[in-house]
């Protein structure tokens, strides 16, 4: 199986997940716990790997990140990183 990446990363949502989490003053452990309450089993290190682009994100995980972080799914997939207008 060939492993693909986009501009050297395995996802395009990691930076946005980090921005949304940080703006809510939530730790990676807290985010992992909230994801687990929604039925998605993730550990803190998985959140870290997602945020730095070292881990793929499944579509159902992305949908749950949007729900937990209270952001638009489209925003998570956008390439722009303007915190003031995005969150």
């Amino acid at each position: 199986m060939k492993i693909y990446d986009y501009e050297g990363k395995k996802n395009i949502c990691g930076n946005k997940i980090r921005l949304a989490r940080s703006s809510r003053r939530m730790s990676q452990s807290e985010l992992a716990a909230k994801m687990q309450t929604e039925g998605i089993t993730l550990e803190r290190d998985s959140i870290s790997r997602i945020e730095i682009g070292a881990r793929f994100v499944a579509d159902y995980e992305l949908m749950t990140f949007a729900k937990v972080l209270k952001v638009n799914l489209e925003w998570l997939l956008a390439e722009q990183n303007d915190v003031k207008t995005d969150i």
Side-chain angles (χ1 to χ4, degrees), residues 10-11 13-15 17-18 21 27-33 35-36 40-58 60-62 65:
K10 294 188 183 342
N11 68 63
C13 61
N15 285 334
I17 289 170
R18 182 184 49 79
R21 179 184 58 76
S27 71
Q28 290 176 339
S29 296
E30 290 169 329
L31 178 54
M35 292 291 286
Q36 288 177 13
I40 306 298
T41 304
L42 287 174
E43 301 294 331
R44 189 215 51 84
D45 66 318
S46 295
I47 301 290
S48 176
R49 291 177 46 234
I50 287 169
E51 289 183 354
I52 63 172
R55 181 187 178 281
F56 288 101
V57 180
Y60 62 89
E61 291 173 330
L62 189 63
F65 275 120

Side-chain angles (χ1 to χ4, degrees), residues 4-12 79:
Y4 296 95
D5 63 359
Y6 177 75
E7 294 182 1
K9 295 190 174 189
K10 294 188 183 342
N11 68 63
I12 61 172
E79 292 188 52

